[in-house]
Amino acid sequence: MIKSIFFSRFLTKEGPKVLYQVPDGSIVPSTTCSQLPIIDFESVSSFVIPRQRFCDRLVSISTNHYRILGHPVCIESPKYDRNEFIFNLSIVLEEDEDHSSYITVVRKLAVLFRNLEEQGEFLSRDLEERQAGRSRGKVYALCEIILEDLNNYCECMIPIDESNTINIKLFPRFPPPPPVKAWHVPLSTVRLESLMDENWDLTMQRIIPHIDGIKSVRQIAEYADADLNLVKKCIEHLLYYGCLLMLDIFQFGAIYAPTAEISTLIEDKTMQQECASYISMLDPEITTSALISLYTSLRQGQTLKSWCIEHQESLFGIDIRRFITFGVIKGFLYRVHKYALKLTGVNGTDLTSSAAHGGTHISREASSLSKKSSRRELAARATTSAADRRPSKTGTESRRISHTGSMLIEEEDEVRESRRSFDVDGGDHGHGLGLGLLSSSNEASHSQYPYQRQMRDAMAEGGVSDIGRFLDGMHCFDEICTELQITEKELMSRIKHRAYAAGASGGAVDGSDGAAGGGGGDIQIFHK
């Protein structure tokens, strides 16, 4: 909000002087008002009316917790004293207020008053009339109208004469929207169809019917048959003006938990009524106590599916998707995302400690996996050394030694179901646990280990290698599934295959969200 507008000019005998100020006494003391000035003009006068070489540019001055915005103008002509006419129409704002939208205002007013003076000596004649006492001055009236209209309506239209009019509008400046990702789900906060007309962008017109709070950005692009990058730009444009909210992909396999803001729901009766009317599919609406009980029963480690089964009687007549969406929008629920991290790098570097220092929640499980991997690697090196000391052994006998060593380590780790699993054919992928046990020429091995044959077929189709760039613990499962256009079940299957391809001796995932593989191919699944 504008606190004051004042017009100042450089006078030959008096120097910089405030000729008009609105309200009276806001800049310099006035005989008609007892109000104290909000700034000390004398201390900043040399900046408000600067030297000639600093004119015709924006000036921003902070003083006494206020900000002065101005654009001093210097008109050179022999008809003026000292051959120049210097003036400045400035506005005063609070120092911490966003002043970006007022910069165009002072620039536009500076250009307008320059043109009025050059065309018909508007400012010079107004000063003469003021000094003669015939009127208070047209400039004062303009300052008064500009202040009232911009503060009350954020715009003004003031006719000056037959050929000049002041047209000013304040356009708010919003912070830039966050980056839009393909796996985000936009939810409209206004009726976009009622705002849209034929002049809107063509891509915008095509995607708006598909913004329903369910489809992701990539799905919207596919349904609208539009380029994904253009769709992202349109979504960012709507986000900038507050027409959308961004959500996560809703799925029953996800995990949701309450935040500290859950106290707002407990205390705010209006929010409780709003929530009940939004999520209820039947009359009467759900009671407040039941509503709060359901929200507080959500917890980490439990998927939404299992939570629904546990509370199926209490959830009768409730839209589950709206139930979760309302909590996420209001901020008292958050989504617990799932990530995948390959604990051993390509060059054999252990990433467990670096992941723990990075702030993830996998240090305890990762440590145990690292110990298992170390034991496997030691055993593998031992069996390899034994094979090197017995050069008379054939390739089959060497593979038998490797097979025996791997089995011993699996028994030590009590992973008995994985004793039938070995390395894939091709020593380039192994890390010391297998030496090509599944040979393409060995038909008996193919019939004896059907799961390994299925895994190798999946690798041949290219379904395993494409997930390697996502296994750094920085990509959530929503992102991976959206980018690869697969389901979470297919992603978990590929992660298991990835562990085998890296030389794992036991390919089962440890628990539902544990580690896949062993040896050099350990992959940790964690939540945060």
Side-chain angles (χ1 to χ4, degrees), residues 156-176:
C156 65
M157 186 180 67
I158 309 170
I160 299 175
D161 51 34
E162 295 181 356
S163 58
N164 293 285
T165 303
I166 296 178
N167 289 290
I168 298 175
K169 184 178 179 63
L170 291 178
F171 291 95
R173 296 292 184 92
F174 300 107

Side-chain angles (χ1 to χ4, degrees), residues 47-304:
F47 302 104
V48 176
I49 303 294
R51 295 180 180 273
Q52 184 177 352
R53 61 177 177 271
F54 292 108
C55 292
D56 298 312
R57 63 186 67 189
L58 181 69
V59 174
S60 177
I61 309 164
S62 296
T63 176
N64 197 27
H65 305 294
Y66 290 96
R67 183 185 302 275
I68 303 173
L69 284 180
H71 196 281
V73 176
C74 178
I75 302 175
E76 297 181 357
S77 175
K79 63 184 177 182
Y80 301 119
D81 294 339
R82 297 189 179 182
N83 298 326
E84 60 185 15
F85 183 89
I86 302 177
F87 69 91
N88 192 357
L89 182 65
S90 308
I91 64 175
V92 181
L93 309 167
E94 291 186 355
E95 185 177 8
D96 56 353
E97 183 177 355
D98 181 19
H99 63 279
S100 56
S101 58
Y102 293 95
I103 293 178
T104 56
V105 173
V106 295
R107 284 176 173 166
K108 189 170 185 178
L109 289 175
V111 173
L112 176 65
F113 280 114
R114 171 192 279 273
N115 293 335
L116 289 174
E117 177 63 22
E118 292 176 342
Q119 293 172 6
E121 298 182 353
F122 177 81
L123 300 177
S124 300
R125 287 188 288 105
D126 185 77
L127 178 59
E128 293 175 358
E129 292 179 0
R130 176 179 179 272
Q131 290 175 345
R134 291 192 296 269
S135 68
R136 201 171 187 181
K138 293 181 180 179
V139 177
Y140 178 84
L142 290 176
C143 293
E144 195 173 29
I145 297 174
I146 292 172
L147 175 67
E148 293 178 356
D149 287 359
L150 291 184
N151 282 344
N152 295 327
Y153 311 110
C154 294
E155 61 181 8
C156 65
M157 186 180 67
I158 309 170
I160 299 175
D161 51 34
E162 295 181 356
S163 58
N164 293 285
T165 303
I166 296 178
N167 289 290
I168 298 175
K169 184 178 179 63
L170 291 178
F171 291 95
R173 296 292 184 92
F174 300 107
V180 175
K181 303 299 183 181
W183 60 92
H184 289 167
V185 178
L187 175 67
S188 61
T189 58
V190 296
R191 295 187 180 276
L192 296 173
E193 293 83 357
S194 62
L195 301 176
M196 184 172 58
D197 57 35
E198 65 276 2
N199 298 319
W200 279 37
D201 181 79
L202 295 178
T203 304
M204 188 78 75
Q205 295 184 38
R206 299 180 72 170
I207 68 172
I208 282 179
H210 303 288
I211 298 177
D212 54 5
I214 300 176
K215 299 183 184 69
S216 65
V217 173
R218 180 179 290 277
Q219 290 175 324
I220 291 174
E222 293 174 353
Y223 277 92
D225 192 21
D227 181 72
L228 179 60
N229 292 326
L230 293 179
V231 172
K232 289 181 179 180
K233 290 293 184 182
C234 292
I235 297 296
E236 288 179 356
H237 187 78
L238 294 174
L239 275 174
Y240 179 79
Y241 288 104
C243 299
L244 295 178
L245 293 173
M246 300 306 289
L247 305 173
D248 297 303
I249 298 175
F250 175 81
Q251 49 189 344
F252 284 94
I255 298 176
Y256 296 89
T259 68
E261 299 297 325
I262 192 68
S263 59
T264 306
L265 177 66
I266 298 174
E267 299 171 356
D268 193 339
K269 301 296 182 183
T270 304
M271 184 184 293
Q272 295 171 5
Q273 296 174 359
E274 181 185 1
C275 179
S277 61
Y278 181 73
I279 69 175
S280 296
M281 297 186 297
L282 302 174
D283 291 328
E285 297 176 352
I286 184 174
T287 61
T288 301
S289 59
L291 183 68
I292 296 175
S293 177
L294 287 173
Y295 274 118
T296 53
S297 63
L298 291 166
R299 63 182 184 273
Q300 290 198 30
Q302 184 181 33
T303 63
L304 184 60

Side-chain angles (χ1 to χ4, degrees), residues 203-493:
T203 304
M204 188 78 75
Q205 295 184 38
R206 299 180 72 170
I207 68 172
I208 282 179
H210 303 288
I211 298 177
D212 54 5
I214 300 176
K215 299 183 184 69
S216 65
V217 173
R218 180 179 290 277
Q219 290 175 324
I220 291 174
E222 293 174 353
Y223 277 92
D225 192 21
D227 181 72
L228 179 60
N229 292 326
L230 293 179
V231 172
K232 289 181 179 180
K233 290 293 184 182
C234 292
I235 297 296
E236 288 179 356
H237 187 78
L238 294 174
L239 275 174
Y240 179 79
Y241 288 104
C243 299
L244 295 178
L245 293 173
M246 300 306 289
L247 305 173
D248 297 303
I249 298 175
F250 175 81
Q251 49 189 344
F252 284 94
I255 298 176
Y256 296 89
T259 68
E261 299 297 325
I262 192 68
S263 59
T264 306
L265 177 66
I266 298 174
E267 299 171 356
D268 193 339
K269 301 296 182 183
T270 304
M271 184 184 293
Q272 295 171 5
Q273 296 174 359
E274 181 185 1
C275 179
S277 61
Y278 181 73
I279 69 175
S280 296
M281 297 186 297
L282 302 174
D283 291 328
E285 297 176 352
I286 184 174
T287 61
T288 301
S289 59
L291 183 68
I292 296 175
S293 177
L294 287 173
Y295 274 118
T296 53
S297 63
L298 291 166
R299 63 182 184 273
Q300 290 198 30
Q302 184 181 33
T303 63
L304 184 60
K305 177 181 178 181
S306 61
W307 179 84
C308 290
I309 296 174
E310 182 180 338
H311 299 85
Q312 55 183 340
E313 296 182 358
S314 303
L315 293 174
F316 179 76
I318 295 178
D319 188 325
I320 303 300
R321 184 184 63 82
R322 287 195 167 197
F323 176 85
I324 296 297
T325 300
F326 186 87
V328 173
I329 292 174
K330 296 299 182 179
F332 58 83
L333 279 188
Y334 74 98
R335 167 80 181 276
V336 182
H337 284 282
K338 189 186 297 185
Y339 298 82
L341 175 64
K342 189 175 185 298
L343 299 181
T344 308
V346 177
N347 57 356
T349 304
D350 187 9
L351 301 181
T352 304
S353 59
S354 61
H357 289 299
T360 58
H361 306 284
I362 61 170
S363 56
R364 183 177 60 182
E365 298 178 2
S367 177
S368 62
L369 289 171
S370 179
K371 293 177 181 179
K372 292 181 181 180
S373 302
S374 301
R375 290 197 298 270
R376 293 189 182 104
E377 291 171 359
L378 289 174
R381 285 195 291 267
T383 54
T384 304
S385 300
D388 293 339
R389 289 194 299 268
R390 303 159 88 177
S392 61
K393 295 289 183 180
T394 63
T396 303
E397 291 172 329
S398 298
R399 288 194 296 271
R400 189 179 298 115
I401 292 174
S402 175
H403 167 60
T404 305
S406 298
M407 294 294 288
L408 289 174
I409 295 303
E410 292 303 325
E411 290 177 352
E412 179 184 353
D413 291 336
E414 298 181 355
V415 189
R416 305 187 185 281
E417 292 185 1
S418 60
R419 284 183 292 178
R420 56 186 176 86
S421 303
F422 300 91
D423 259 351
V424 185
D425 182 26
D428 293 339
H429 300 289
H431 290 268
L433 288 180
L435 301 173
L437 179 63
L438 298 180
S439 174
S440 58
S441 60
N442 193 340
E443 298 298 333
S445 298
H446 281 275
S447 60
Q448 186 176 1
Y449 307 109
Y451 186 76
Q452 280 71 20
R453 185 173 67 253
Q454 294 174 6
M455 181 203 54
R456 186 169 60 182
D457 294 340
M459 290 175 57
E461 295 176 0
V464 176
S465 60
D466 55 356
I467 68 169
R469 57 192 175 98
F470 297 109
L471 302 181
D472 57 357
M474 302 298 293
H475 304 274
C476 64
F477 271 35
D478 284 357
E479 175 184 358
I480 302 174
C481 293
T482 303
E483 292 294 333
L484 301 182
Q485 299 188 28
I486 59 176
T487 64
E488 185 172 327
K489 183 177 180 181
E490 293 172 334
L491 175 59
M492 288 300 299
S493 177

